[in-house]
Amino acid sequence: MATLANPSLRSVVVSFLLHVLLAFSFSVWGRPATFLQDFKVMWSDSHIRQINGGTAIQLVLDQNSGCGFASKSQYLFGRISMKIKLIPGDSAGTVTAFYMNSNTDSVRDELDFEFLGNRSGQPYTVQTNVYAHGKGDREQRVNLWFDPAADYHTYSILWNHHQVVFYVDLVPIRVYKNKEARGIPFPKFQPMGVYSTLWEADDWATRGGLEKIDWRKAPFYAYYKDFDIEGCPVPGPSTCASNPGNWWEGGAYQQLSPVEARSYRWVRINHVIYDYCTDKKRYPVTPPECV
């Protein structure tokens, strides 16, 4: 009877384990070490400054330009997160965005965090949106229950075959379930890159455009650190995205946990200030995914 004491069998087992480990390491992408290693500047590189050896960056908005950066790779399913410290003080008319985008025009998929600037003393609002197969206009807005400019906070998107969940410091603020069985599009075919931008949008960002940007307060600064992407890189192994063994596809991530569900209800009751699902002026007939 063969045992691992047999040199030939031991060699086969070691070779098999090495292949498994290599397959896993190239299927699931881990955490980036620095901004330069895994991201690139999209526009206005003079307005993106590395700090702390590239482990954190500063985005700048002034009257000359905003700025933006993007991941060097695209991903199909997984989790992305960043720690962000938003613009302090009077930030009305500014938008700091953190999102995923398929970079396809007519059938784009996109998952958005957009942080809408405020007048001093007013709560910061985060707007989320979901585009699936080219259809968007699914905005929801939440007033944050803390000052996001006083310190870094973690913003995350979990994306698997079952749902998309937007998190603020591990508190779910939005859930978009996969309802393809009812003919409702769900983003699952197109890989998406990770993007962030800081720009001026005072025609709509603060109180529907009533509050304009005060350029006397410029330049405006937002800070990012602890970039974290865990997902299936594209191009990459074709079996990665469909692998049920990926941790983000596990049973614990197919729906909210009881603790998450309680936190989610608390946010929905106390901090949601706009939901397209209940906007009868825009949608006299409730959108099907809201039912």
Side-chain angles (χ1 to χ4, degrees), residues 60-277:
V60 183
L61 168 65
D62 57 27
Q63 284 185 282
N64 294 317
S65 182
C67 56
F69 66 88
S71 60
K72 293 180 179 178
S73 299
Q74 289 187 310
Y75 305 90
L76 190 56
F77 301 115
R79 183 187 64 188
I80 65 168
S81 70
M82 292 186 187
K83 288 185 178 178
I84 305 173
K85 184 163 65 171
L86 296 174
I87 300 167
D90 189 341
S91 57
T94 68
V95 174
T96 307
F98 166 46
Y99 59 101
M100 301 189 75
N101 189 306
S102 63
N103 201 25
T104 47
D105 293 330
S106 59
V107 291
R108 120 181 109 144
D109 292 336
E110 185 170 313
L111 308 172
D112 292 341
F113 272 115
E114 292 179 310
F115 303 95
L116 311 182
N118 64 341
R119 288 290 180 221
S120 297
Q122 298 300 313
Y124 240 107
T125 299
V126 57
Q127 174 172 282
T128 59
N129 202 352
V130 174
Y131 282 78
H133 303 187
K135 173 67 173 68
D137 299 326
R138 297 184 174 99
E139 300 92 346
Q140 293 183 2
R141 293 185 177 184
V142 171
N143 275 349
L144 295 174
W145 51 95
F146 53 86
D147 180 0
D151 202 351
Y152 286 95
H153 291 267
T154 303
Y155 304 93
S156 309
I157 299 173
L158 173 72
W159 173 32
N160 59 34
H161 283 82
H162 306 275
Q163 61 181 357
V164 174
V165 186
F166 295 81
Y167 288 94
V168 174
D169 288 337
L170 302 182
V171 175
I173 66 166
R174 180 170 187 175
V175 178
Y176 185 83
K177 300 291 288 186
N178 185 342
K179 299 180 181 178
E180 285 184 308
R182 293 168 46 195
I184 297 166
F186 185 82
K188 74 174 191 179
F189 298 109
Q190 300 187 100
M192 292 191 265
V194 182
Y195 298 83
S196 188
T197 55
L198 174 58
W199 49 294
E200 175 264 319
D202 68 1
D203 57 333
W204 66 272
T206 307
R207 294 184 59 216
L210 294 177
E211 303 282 359
K212 301 299 184 182
I213 195 166
D214 184 353
W215 289 114
R216 295 173 301 175
K217 306 293 175 59
F220 302 98
Y221 302 109
Y223 298 86
Y224 291 71
K225 68 176 184 177
D226 294 355
F227 313 105
D228 183 358
I229 304 175
E230 297 177 80
C232 292
V234 177
S238 59
T239 58
C240 179
S242 60
N243 182 0
N246 292 330
W247 69 260
W248 53 83
E249 298 288 356
Y253 302 98
Q254 295 179 16
Q255 60 185 4
L256 298 183
S257 70
V259 172
E260 288 178 328
R262 286 194 294 272
S263 298
Y264 183 56
R265 284 195 299 271
W266 173 79
V267 170
R268 306 302 295 179
I269 291 170
N270 296 288
H271 296 282
V272 172
I273 61 170
Y274 176 80
D275 186 348
Y276 79 104
C277 288

Side-chain angles (χ1 to χ4, degrees), residues 19-94:
H19 276 85
V20 170
L21 288 171
L22 284 170
F24 180 80
S25 65
F26 285 109
S27 298
V28 178
W29 194 86
R31 301 183 177 186
T34 67
F35 174 76
L36 271 183
Q37 181 178 345
D38 298 293
F39 293 89
K40 60 186 178 183
V41 175
M42 284 195 304
W43 51 289
S44 193
D45 56 359
S46 64
H47 285 58
I48 296 182
R49 302 165 182 168
Q50 295 184 62
I51 54 179
N52 298 330
T55 59
I57 57 169
Q58 178 192 67
L59 271 60
V60 183
L61 168 65
D62 57 27
Q63 284 185 282
N64 294 317
S65 182
C67 56
F69 66 88
S71 60
K72 293 180 179 178
S73 299
Q74 289 187 310
Y75 305 90
L76 190 56
F77 301 115
R79 183 187 64 188
I80 65 168
S81 70
M82 292 186 187
K83 288 185 178 178
I84 305 173
K85 184 163 65 171
L86 296 174
I87 300 167
D90 189 341
S91 57
T94 68

